[in-house]
């Protein structure tokens, strides 16, 4: 029964393993600030959530894109 | 076989609760021919009954102790001396002394009053009680003694040697001529019927023409304990007495520590006992002087006893059955299951159910995340994070359920193992 208990735990954890949907850093469409979580704002022209204080940066650019843009 | 000797065991397992078996040997040299015969006889006796199982090893030890009915001969001798003393004192007009000696004699005879061994003594005692009460002018005691005498001895005259005045003899004659009564006696098994210590026939029978009053009825049968009862007869109706006589061969099994030496006084009988369906089977083995043994099987139920076959002629033995149901054996024997089984099964079941629910909840949590994958780019950030929060909450709940369930299963496994070890792996 000890083995059964261990198997139950493993099976349960494996069967329901949550994936990381990579929420951080993803692009989310928005219409206003309510569509974004705390710390993010809705970009006025591109309608995606961006980190507060980075509204001036071209929204929607990835870090790589931003790096390219800076080059 | 030798391993069985010297051990007294009782085993009742969760899986075989109906096959509780006790095996006992005591006071027997394991290497003696008699001992080997005893064990073989037990095995034969047990084998004769499929519901009995002879088992090793010792998890419980039972003491076989004799409880043969005690002889009251010494008390009777003492009572006789006291009656002599009372008689002498009465003749010397020492009534208080006579009364005191009479009271002591009555106390000594009390357990056997109305039974065969005390008929003569009881008659003397009552005659003296009448004389003392008369001397003390104690009308109440006199009436009681005369009534008891008339009922028990059905005589119109006092016993020889009793010096009663004429008015007492007249009263006794009057009492003896009172209405008569009838008594119906039945017994299982049938036996000899004694009323007030005198044999009146064999049961079933009806005793007519019995003096009205209080009588002691006793029934005796071979290989059974005699049973008796006091009964008040009435001329208006037939008094009925039914007595069940327990067999004299049974065992007293007292619990002993599983380890350590057997106490002194252990009898040299060997018994195997099994229980099934509310009945206990007891195989008694008696060593005979010639080194052979005999086995007697007895079925004992709460409602009575029945003899099984006697595999060889057994000397008469007298024991009391201390326990006679499986439940009692299971409850008292050190080899009993610890009673965890239902709880173990219940806990394991709840644990498995909790863990399965936990798995389902975690899978539900995974499903909750599905929109994050399928609607990527269409969900707002607030909605996406809300979905993730819900999924994580459900995942935590699932994890808690799985952990709790696994803990229950593990605990049940521990209890089961403990139970298994404590019952010797049976």
């Amino acid at each position: 029964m000890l083995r059964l208990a261990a198997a139950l735990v493993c099976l349960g954890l494996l069967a329901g393993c949550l994936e990381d949907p990579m929420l951080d850093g993803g692009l989310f469409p928005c219409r206003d600030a309510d569509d974004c979580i705390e710390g993010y704002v809705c970009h006025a022209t591109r309608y995606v959530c961006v980190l507060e204080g980075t509204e001036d940066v071209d929204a929607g650019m990835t870090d790589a894109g931003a790096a390219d843009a800076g080059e | 076989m030798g391993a069985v000797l010297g051990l007294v065991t009782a085993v009742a397992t969760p899986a075989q609760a109906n096959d509780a078996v006790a095996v006992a040997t005591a006071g027997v040299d394991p290497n003696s021919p008699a001992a080997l015969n005893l064990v073989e006889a037990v095995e034969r006796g047990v084998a004769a009954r499929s519901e009995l199982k002879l088992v090793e090893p010792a998890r419980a030890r039972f003491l076989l102790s004799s409880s043969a009915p005690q002889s009251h001969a010494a008390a009777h001798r003492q009572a006789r001396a006291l009656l002599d003393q009372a008689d002498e004192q009465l003749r010397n007009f020492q009534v208080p002394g006579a009364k005191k000696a009479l009271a002591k004699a009555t106390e000594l005879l009390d357990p056997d009053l109305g039974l065969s061994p005390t008929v003569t003594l009881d008659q003397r005692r009552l005659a003296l009680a009448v004389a003392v009460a008369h001397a003390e002018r104690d009308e109440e005691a006199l009436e009681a003694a005369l009534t008891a005498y008339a009922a028990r001895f059905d005589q119109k005259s006092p016993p020889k040697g009793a010096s009663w005045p004429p008015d007492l003899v007249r009263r006794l004659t009057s009492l003896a001529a009172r209405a008569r009564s009838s008594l119906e006696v039945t017994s299982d098994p049938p036996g000899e019927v004694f009323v007030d210590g005198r044999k009146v026939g064999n049961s079933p029978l009806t005793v007519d023409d019995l003096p009205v009053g209080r009588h002691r009825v006793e029934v005796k049968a071979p290989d059974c304990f005699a049973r008796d009862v006091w009964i008040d007869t009435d001329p208006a109706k037939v008094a009925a007495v039914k007595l069940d006589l327990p067999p004299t061969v049974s065992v007293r099994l007292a619990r002993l520590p599983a380890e350590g030496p057997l106490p002194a006084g252990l009898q040299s009988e060997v018994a195997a006992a099994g229980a099934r369906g509310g009945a206990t089977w007891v195989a008694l083995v008696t060593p005979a002087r010639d080194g052979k043994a005999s086995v007697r099987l007895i079925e004992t139920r709460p409602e009575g006893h029945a003899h099984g076959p006697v595999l060889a002629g057994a000397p008469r033995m007298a024991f009391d059955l201390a326990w006679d149901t499986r439940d009692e054996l299971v409850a008292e024997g050190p080899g009993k299951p610890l009673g965890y089984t239902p709880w173990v099964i219940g806990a394991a079941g709840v644990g498995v159910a909790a863990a399965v629910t936990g798995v389902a909840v975690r899978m539900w949590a995974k499903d909750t995340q599905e929109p994050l994958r399928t609607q990527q780019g269409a969900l707002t950030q607030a909605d996406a994070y809300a979905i993730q929060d819900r999924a994580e909450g459900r995942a935590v709940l699932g994890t808690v359920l799985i952990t709790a369930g696994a803990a229950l299963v593990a605990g049940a496994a521990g209890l089961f193992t403990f139970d298994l070890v404590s019952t010797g792996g049976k």
Side-chain angles (χ1 to χ4, degrees), chain B residues 114-116 119 123 149 151-155 193-201 215-216 218:
Chain B
L115 300 179
S116 316
V119 171
Q123 192 173 16
Y149 186 92
R152 213 125 80 220
F153 296 101
D154 195 18
Q155 291 179 346
V193 179
F194 295 79
V195 176
D196 298 322
R198 290 177 291 271
K199 185 179 174 184
V200 294
H215 301 279
R216 192 167 189 174
E218 184 184 33

Side-chain angles (χ1 to χ4, degrees), chain A residues 9-56:
Chain A
V9 172
C10 292
L11 179 70
L13 296 177
L14 285 173
C17 257
L18 285 185
E19 293 169 4
D20 182 359
M22 301 296 286
L23 294 178
D24 292 332
L27 288 177
F28 292 98
C30 60
R31 285 157 301 199
D32 52 43
D34 290 344
D35 289 337
C36 303
I37 63 171
E38 195 178 339
Y40 286 78
V41 293
C42 191
H43 195 278
T45 56
R46 297 194 60 87
Y47 298 103
V48 291
C49 297
V50 295
L51 267 175
E52 215 167 5
T54 61
E55 298 95 316
D56 297 337

Side-chain angles (χ1 to χ4, degrees), chain B residues 13-402:
Chain B
T13 69
Q16 298 172 316
N18 283 340
D19 295 324
V21 173
V23 179
T25 68
V28 180
D29 177 2
N31 298 317
S32 70
L36 297 178
N37 281 336
L38 289 180
V39 174
E40 284 171 2
V42 168
E43 288 173 343
R44 280 202 308 274
V46 170
R49 295 285 168 186
S50 60
E51 60 267 51
L52 291 178
K53 289 182 180 176
L54 194 63
V55 295
E56 297 176 298
R59 279 212 311 275
R61 307 172 72 180
F62 291 95
L63 168 67
L64 288 167
S65 65
S66 170
S67 65
Q70 291 180 346
S71 168
H72 295 155
H76 295 173
R77 279 196 298 274
Q78 200 179 342
R80 188 187 305 278
L82 284 164
L83 291 177
D84 289 342
Q85 183 186 331
D87 200 9
E88 181 68 22
Q89 287 175 321
L90 195 60
R91 288 178 196 282
N92 294 326
F93 303 103
Q94 296 171 339
V95 179
K99 189 178 178 183
K100 198 173 173 182
L102 185 62
K104 280 185 185 173
T106 302
E107 192 180 325
L108 286 168
L109 291 174
D110 188 62
D112 296 327
L113 287 178
L115 300 179
S116 316
T118 64
V119 171
T120 311
L121 287 173
D122 190 27
Q123 192 173 16
R124 273 193 71 195
R125 183 188 69 86
L126 283 173
L128 275 168
V130 168
V132 167
H134 185 260
E136 285 200 315
R137 304 288 189 267
D138 185 344
E139 185 55 33
E140 194 180 336
L142 178 61
E143 181 68 19
L146 272 174
T147 303
Y149 186 92
R152 213 125 80 220
F153 296 101
D154 195 18
Q155 291 179 346
K156 295 181 177 64
S157 56
K160 284 180 183 176
S163 50
W164 288 8
D167 62 315
L168 281 186
V169 177
R170 274 197 299 277
R171 283 179 67 172
L172 179 65
T173 307
S174 164
L175 282 169
R178 286 197 312 187
R180 315 299 279 184
S181 57
S182 295
L183 175 67
E184 196 177 84
V185 183
T186 55
S187 70
D188 183 21
E192 291 179 319
V193 179
F194 295 79
V195 176
D196 298 322
R198 290 177 291 271
K199 185 179 174 184
V200 294
N202 293 310
S203 63
L205 88 169
T206 302
V207 184
D208 292 315
D209 201 27
L210 196 65
V212 172
R214 192 165 169 76
H215 301 279
R216 192 167 189 174
V217 182
E218 184 184 33
V219 180
K220 297 178 182 176
D223 296 326
C224 289
F225 284 117
R227 294 288 301 274
D228 67 85
V229 65
W230 283 98
I231 188 163
D232 291 302
T233 59
D234 186 327
K237 60 179 180 182
V238 178
V241 168
K242 185 177 188 316
L243 293 171
D244 292 327
L245 314 182
T248 51
V249 184
S250 60
V251 300
R252 179 185 293 280
L253 298 175
R255 182 175 156 181
L256 289 177
E259 301 296 337
L262 294 172
L266 206 61
Q267 304 299 302
S268 58
E269 285 78 13
V270 180
R276 191 176 186 87
T280 297
W281 283 93
V282 177
L284 277 181
V285 180
T286 307
R289 290 180 189 278
D290 59 1
K292 294 180 181 176
S294 59
V295 178
R296 176 172 291 193
L297 293 177
I298 304 158
E299 181 189 21
T300 303
R301 292 179 176 276
E303 62 269 25
H305 311 271
H307 284 276
V310 178
L311 303 182
R316 187 184 171 98
M317 294 183 294
F319 295 96
D320 282 331
L321 191 65
W323 52 262
D324 59 5
T325 67
R326 174 185 66 81
D327 289 341
E328 205 169 341
L329 176 65
V330 170
E332 292 187 357
K336 68 176 182 119
L338 297 178
Y340 289 142
T341 309
W343 295 101
V344 166
I345 293 168
V350 171
V352 169
V356 168
T357 307
V359 170
V361 169
R362 278 190 69 89
M363 292 177 78
W364 180 34
K366 198 176 175 184
D367 287 345
T368 307
Q369 280 187 314
E370 196 61 17
L372 297 179
R373 288 185 287 272
T374 57
Q375 299 175 34
Q376 205 167 20
L379 289 173
T380 65
Q381 189 185 29
D383 289 342
Y385 274 84
I387 288 169
Q388 179 66 4
D389 284 347
R390 276 202 298 279
E392 284 178 356
R394 286 166 189 173
V396 168
L397 176 65
T399 304
V400 168
L401 283 170
I402 290 168

